[in-house]
Amino acid sequence: MKKISLISALLLCVLSLSAQVRFEYDVRFDLRFDNREYDTHSSFQPSLTMFGARLEPTVGFSATAGKTSHQLMAGVDVLKEFGTSDKEILWNLQLWYRFGMSFKHSDFSITAGVMPRRFSKGEWSQAFFSDYYTFHDNSIEGIIFSWDNPAYHFELGCDWNGLLKGARREEFFVFTSGSYTPLKWLKLGWEAYMHHYSCSEQAWGVVDDILAEPYMSFDFAPFAGVQNLSLR
């Protein structure tokens, strides 16, 4: 008997329900220039300049059937750091499936595959992931569960960074973020992860570190008549 994957079964179910299937595409371009020079030596980060361009074209299909939605997309993430040769262009495959379900006042979704990092809606500070790290690693390889409504957001995900093979270590992040907005000017939230950095086939040892950051955010923009004025 042939095995049918969960995604294939869901897609067959959608087609059997005469869902509305649409072709989709998306193209994103990003140019970043950030010069960082320090008068004295910094143990946190060396003096450097981030200067490069990123292109993210994706194509795929989406379908809706009642309160459920399905999306299957594929593309590439290409990063060219200025000053490097064409052989040093960084590129990664992007391939993801998203299942969504709408309720009266909230939306639930599951996204699995290799997806852009922006799919995580957490307000991650650079204590978790520096902009240098996210500039060079723009993808999440794993799965994200997300639940949203106008007052709150919750997500739980896993980003698998390393497969145990040879000198390469097994490595992954289990992360979560959430927020609750009881008032228009007040938000309560958190971000947290557990980072697992395990052994390789050539070296033993396991390091797990846990980082969590609860926060309270005040939005003064509606009272000051400006676009953005906040304190966190």
Side-chain angles (χ1 to χ4, degrees), residues 152-165:
Y152 64 80
H153 161 74
F154 170 77
E155 71 179 20
L156 175 66
C158 178
D159 183 13
W160 203 278
N161 305 93
L163 176 68
L164 180 63
K165 185 177 181 180

Side-chain angles (χ1 to χ4, degrees), residues 30 32 50 54 56 77-79 81 90-94 113-120 128-142 158-162 171-173 175 195:
D30 179 32
R32 184 172 303 189
M50 288 193 297
R54 164 172 278 114
E56 294 181 72
D77 173 22
V78 182
L79 173 63
E81 293 186 278
L90 303 176
W91 69 274
N92 290 285
L93 174 70
Q94 290 187 342
V114 185
M115 68 206 80
R117 189 168 292 277
R118 64 178 181 274
F119 280 20
S120 172
F128 292 90
F129 307 105
S130 70
D131 55 357
Y132 182 83
Y133 174 83
T134 57
F135 182 63
H136 290 85
D137 186 359
N138 188 45
S139 299
I140 293 176
E141 302 180 37
C158 178
D159 183 13
W160 203 278
N161 305 93
E171 180 182 9
F172 60 83
F173 289 89
F175 61 89
H195 175 217

